[in-house]
Amino acid sequence: MLKLFSRLEKGRSVIILFFAVLLVLGLVVAGVYNRSSVATANPFKSREVVASVRGDDVTVADFTVRQKARESEFSRYGGQVSLATFGITGERLLDELINSRLVVQEAERLNLSPSEEEVKEEILRQSGASTGGFDFKVYRENVARNYGSVALFEETMRDIVAGRKLRAYVTAGVQVSEEEVREGFMRENAEFDVLYVPVTAADLAKRINPADEELARYFQEHQTDYRFLEDQKKIRYLFVSTDKVGEKIQIPDEDLRKEFEERGVEQKQAGVRVQQIVLRVARPELDTEVLNRATALVGRVRNEQTLAGTEEDFAELARGNSEDAATAQKGGWLPNPVRRNPNPKPPAAGTPGSVNDLLQNTLDMKEGQISDPMKTGNAYYIFRRGPSVLKTFEEARNELLVSLRNRRAYGVAQGIASRAAAHLKETKDIQAVAREFAAEANMAPAEMVKETGLVKPGDVVPGIGSNPQFEEAIKPLNEPGQIGDHLNIPNGFAVPVLVEKREPRIPELAEVRDRVLEDFRQARAKEQVEQTARELAGAAGPEALKAAAERLGLKAETEEAFKWGRPLGTAGADPALDAAVYALKAGETAKTPVKVGDSWYVVGVTRRKDADLAEFGKRQAELTERALDERRMQVFDEYITAIRRRVEQEGGIEIERDVLARLDAEAAPPAALPRAPIDIPTGQ
């Protein structure tokens, strides 16, 4: 392969983008196409075996490369990426690697391994270069830097071409009929206004009110389920509130100023100044082109070692390239500092969030650091973090006051609780101790004396929560009247006193009535949920369905402009629901309910708008090609699945479960902002 490139005329004009392309060429074929056996630029070189596919080893290095590739694939959503967020486990990554091995092996068996010329053409196609504009020296240096060696890189390209050739061979005879394409178009473009009723055990349970005799009988049948296996204790405790103590504490301005002066720069930070470059995606098909352009801009201005770049260089790029006119003319500078959102709401899994969400990442970057391109809406954003903007004393005053008062209140409250505990152990009179310390604690005596119900380890105690420290403090208290040491609880300190102790036992119904009632309701509701849904499905139309649901205490929901494949409200996306809705005319209700998870759904249609067949005629060729591609993908997946099943039955796949478990346990979000991938068409 090297000699093929050594004959190419040198020319550097098309190589500028090639470096960025090389970073991700190993990622471009998803699923079964990418062998990923080459360790791209990453420090892990372990040859420890994770799996073996007919004697072809999948190593820890292979696994790590695939893991980093998938992290980069999702990094366009901004910030740190955890594959678990997207449901990608170590098992799934290993499945991809195993399938990749099977694809390459099958291509070899069928004599579909690519020639040297085909591999060369693939590399040229991926890079956008021509035979007259390829610099072999630059190619070799970039590949060595990012893949370790030219040989390993070209092996990856060889596997990509082999996978494409195998797919073409397997799917050569695939066809779809005009009727299938038309039906698919009609399904996907029909629009409905839907009225639907979720029927859940939780909703039905609310209306179930058993007679006392029924509840007693249920308890007798299940009483061992409610057995207390540990001691129960009732605790009375003296409470000292840090908030109340803090209300009395006065903080002079000189203390606040001293606190402010002692704070470091990071603690005084009000926000950071940020420069940006915005590149808009005019049409979906231009997404890859815009991302490649954004990645190239980052490469021009960022030092690959520090990930930083100068203000002047970034400003020049912003003025010449950013499509946000307001900031471009100012060198990309945003008009206001980026401040940390005190109440962030993370975007749903798999979604990028807003521009403001992406900007939050700059607060965790170093000054001068330049982000990778991140997409939200119809644009890619590149950010450079500028200097911190510091708070003045006046701006920080309230924050300082709260912080210093809380710290001092904690110490004062702890001292009061300690002295109160010692006095209580002497007097044994909690009410008298409360009266004695009430003024100092800034509390009424009645506020200071609290009592729990009978509690056992693991219980959530009102006002205290599930608190291992509290459980440990009351553990040695075994005789009524015993007093424990003071301890920290939410919002203050407590001094516990044992009131009552009960040994493990089967309780009386009255002690656990609420639990028994809830369990009874859930059990009966689960028995009724399917039958209730079937009865509702007999409604004469949407309005009748709504009325019947209300009589049962159920709520009818509506969804406007619903289309096949989209989530239907709380039910989510489900093929059976799609089919049930599509089968209905306006004014009809499905005669059979649909089960989704543990719930049932009854659907009706109030409006139906069918697809325009004239539009189908205009797009028939495009739709036919799309349907063919989907069918080819399905056929190829089934082909590889069948091969894998056969190889597994023959014992040809061996997985080192302990190694996989360790790799899964070690998986974590990347420490720095990952690079965004470049989606390069693979000619599938």
Side-chain angles (χ1 to χ4, degrees):
M1 178 60 64
L2 290 176
K3 64 183 179 181
L4 289 170
F5 287 112
S6 63
R7 293 194 299 268
L8 295 176
E9 179 183 346
K10 293 187 177 182
R12 298 178 183 268
S13 60
V14 296
I15 300 302
I16 296 174
L17 292 178
F18 193 43
F19 171 71
V21 173
L22 288 175
L23 293 176
V24 291
L25 278 173
L27 319 182
V28 297
V29 181
V32 299
Y33 297 151
N34 185 358
R35 179 172 180 179
S36 287
S37 61
V38 180
T40 62
N42 89 67
F44 304 105
K45 303 295 182 182
S46 172
R47 305 311 299 169
E48 184 179 11
V49 175
V50 186
S52 177
V53 184
R54 292 193 236 182
D56 189 359
D57 289 341
V58 177
T59 67
V60 170
D62 299 331
F63 183 93
T64 303
V65 170
R66 177 56 61 100
Q67 184 181 54
K68 298 306 177 187
R70 298 309 297 275
E71 286 171 356
S72 289
E73 182 180 337
F74 289 110
S75 68
R76 66 182 59 189
Y77 297 120
Q80 293 186 331
V81 173
S82 170
L83 293 181
T85 304
F86 299 90
I88 298 177
T89 62
E91 188 84 31
R92 179 169 166 182
L93 291 174
L94 185 59
D95 279 344
E96 293 176 4
L97 288 164
I98 290 172
N99 286 346
S100 299
R101 293 292 199 272
L102 292 172
V103 166
V104 172
Q105 291 174 2
E106 184 68 2
E108 290 174 354
R109 185 183 73 82
L110 295 172
N111 295 320
L112 295 174
S113 298
S115 67
E116 297 288 293
E117 189 65 28
E118 287 174 315
V119 178
K120 183 192 75 171
E121 289 175 359
E122 174 66 15
I123 293 173
L124 291 173
R125 188 184 69 82
Q126 295 282 15
S127 68
S130 66
T131 56
F134 191 90
D135 189 322
F136 174 69
K137 181 180 178 181
V138 173
Y139 162 76
R140 183 172 57 188
E141 290 174 352
N142 286 336
V143 167
R145 180 164 57 250
N146 294 290
Y147 281 83
S149 74
V150 172
L152 290 176
F153 171 72
E154 292 177 355
E155 183 66 26
T156 299
M157 294 297 97
R158 186 172 287 105
D159 291 351
I160 289 174
V161 178
R164 188 183 302 120
K165 292 178 70 174
L166 178 63
R167 181 179 187 270
Y169 175 84
V170 170
T171 62
V174 171
Q175 295 181 343
V176 292
S177 67
E178 180 179 338
E179 182 181 352
E180 287 178 279
V181 178
R182 184 188 300 109
E183 179 60 25
F185 174 81
M186 297 297 289
R187 276 199 314 267
E188 292 175 9
N189 292 279
E191 187 177 276
F192 305 85
D193 287 350
V194 180
L195 181 142
Y196 65 99
V197 178
V199 184
T200 69
D203 288 333
L204 294 180
K206 297 173 185 176
R207 295 176 59 86
I208 297 174
N209 294 301
D212 289 344
E213 295 78 10
E214 285 184 285
L215 199 62
R217 186 164 54 252
Y218 180 86
F219 176 66
Q220 287 299 319
E221 293 169 355
H222 302 86
Q223 58 181 320
T224 55
D225 294 343
Y226 304 98
R227 182 184 183 92
F228 293 134
L229 301 176
E230 299 178 83
D231 292 340
Q232 285 181 294
K233 295 178 179 180
K234 180 182 288 187
I235 302 295
R236 186 175 295 128
Y237 62 96
L238 189 74
F239 176 60
V240 180
S241 166
T242 51
D243 289 340
K244 289 289 186 178
V245 169
E247 291 173 6
K248 290 183 63 176
I249 295 176
Q250 299 299 314
I251 310 291
D253 258 15
E254 53 265 31
D255 289 1
L256 295 177
R257 288 190 179 279
K258 183 179 178 182
E259 177 83 0
F260 180 73
E261 291 167 2
E262 290 176 352
R263 287 193 167 191
V265 171
E266 288 301 314
Q267 292 176 297
K268 294 179 181 178
Q269 187 187 95
V272 297
R273 296 206 63 205
V274 174
Q275 292 170 279
Q276 71 171 12
I277 295 173
V278 182
L279 301 179
R280 305 197 185 281
V281 182
R283 300 189 305 278
E285 60 267 27
L286 298 177
D287 189 281
T288 298
E289 180 181 326
V290 176
L291 177 56
N292 287 351
R293 181 184 166 205
T295 304
L297 289 176
V298 171
R300 285 173 58 185
V301 75
R302 183 167 70 179
N303 180 298
E304 290 301 316
Q305 298 299 318
T306 64
L307 304 183
T310 69
E311 173 188 339
E312 294 76 14
D313 289 345
F314 194 94
E316 183 179 349
L317 282 187
R319 282 189 285 267
N321 295 275
S322 182
E323 296 171 21
D324 181 67
T327 57
Q329 61 185 355
K330 298 177 182 178
W333 286 109
L334 296 179
N336 300 307
V338 175
R339 302 177 187 274
R340 193 172 297 280
N341 184 352
N343 300 301
K345 293 182 179 179
T351 62
S354 66
V355 176
N356 287 335
D357 292 330
L358 298 186
L359 279 167
Q360 290 291 301
N361 294 315
T362 61
L363 294 163
D364 298 318
M365 293 162 57
K366 296 179 180 178
E367 184 172 344
Q369 185 176 339
I370 297 170
S371 75
D372 292 306
M374 294 182 284
K375 186 182 181 186
T376 186
N378 68 337
Y380 280 94
Y381 292 81
I382 304 167
F383 300 122
R384 177 186 177 276
R385 172 178 165 164
S388 296
V389 177
L390 301 183
K391 300 174 185 175
T392 65
F393 171 74
E394 290 304 323
E395 289 174 326
R397 190 179 189 284
N398 287 340
E399 174 191 330
L400 293 167
L401 182 61
V402 170
S403 175
L404 197 52
R405 178 174 284 156
N406 285 344
R407 295 207 308 272
R408 292 187 180 180
Y410 183 93
V412 173
Q414 185 177 38
I416 294 172
S418 176
R419 288 184 284 111
H423 197 48
L424 182 56
K425 289 177 181 179
E426 293 176 3
T427 64
K428 312 296 184 184
D429 188 339
I430 194 170
Q431 298 293 347
V433 173
R435 289 192 296 271
E436 182 176 345
F437 285 89
E440 190 177 353
N442 195 30
M443 300 173 69
E447 291 181 288
M448 297 184 69
V449 180
K450 298 181 178 292
E451 189 168 290
T452 73
L454 285 165
V455 297
K456 64 183 186 304
D459 283 352
V460 177
V461 182
I464 294 177
S466 180
N467 191 316
Q469 189 177 356
F470 180 76
E471 292 173 6
E472 195 63 29
I474 68 173
K475 187 175 181 179
L477 307 182
N478 292 303
E479 298 295 331
Q482 271 190 282
I483 301 166
D485 295 327
H486 74 281
L487 72 145
N488 184 219
I489 63 171
N491 305 312
F493 292 85
V495 183
V497 181
L498 180 63
V499 176
E500 180 184 357
K501 175 184 174 181
R502 294 193 186 181
E503 303 291 336
R505 70 197 190 287
I506 294 177
E508 298 295 326
L509 173 58
E511 295 180 70
V512 290
R513 192 179 191 282
D514 289 346
R515 282 180 57 200
V516 176
L517 177 60
E518 182 60 26
D519 290 349
F520 178 93
R521 285 173 168 168
Q522 290 295 328
R524 292 293 180 269
K526 287 178 181 177
E527 295 171 1
Q528 298 173 11
V529 65
E530 180 178 355
Q531 183 58 36
T532 301
R534 294 192 180 281
E535 291 172 2
L536 284 173
E543 287 303 315
L545 173 60
K546 181 179 180 180
E550 289 174 350
R551 286 194 296 271
L552 294 172
L554 301 174
K555 184 180 179 182
E557 308 281 357
T558 58
E559 184 80 15
E560 296 181 353
F562 172 76
K563 288 188 175 183
W564 183 287
R566 294 182 182 175
L568 181 60
T570 57
D574 185 88
L577 276 174
D578 290 341
V581 171
Y582 187 71
L584 299 176
K585 298 176 182 177
E588 290 184 341
T589 302
K591 301 305 179 186
T592 304
V594 177
K595 187 178 184 184
V596 181
D598 293 329
S599 302
W600 291 79
Y601 291 83
V602 185
V603 297
V605 169
T606 58
R607 181 185 69 88
R608 174 175 180 142
K609 179 183 177 183
D610 285 315
D612 183 359
L613 276 175
E615 181 67 18
F616 170 74
K618 298 176 185 176
R619 300 178 55 199
Q620 184 173 349
E622 168 204 339
L623 295 169
T624 300
E625 186 56 38
R626 189 180 76 178
L628 269 171
D629 196 55
E630 290 174 354
R631 181 66 58 80
R632 289 173 184 138
M633 185 178 297
Q634 178 186 354
V635 168
F636 189 63
D637 285 347
E638 291 172 353
Y639 181 83
I640 298 304
T641 298
I643 291 175
R644 177 162 180 169
R645 188 179 300 115
R646 184 177 69 250
V647 174
E648 286 176 335
Q649 290 172 349
E650 295 169 352
I653 298 176
E654 299 176 1
I655 298 175
E656 302 296 334
R657 293 288 173 187
D658 56 336
V659 179
L660 179 61
R662 191 187 75 234
L663 293 171
D664 240 349
E666 293 171 353
L673 286 173
R675 297 188 179 187
I678 302 174
D679 292 327
I680 303 171
T682 58
Q684 296 171 14

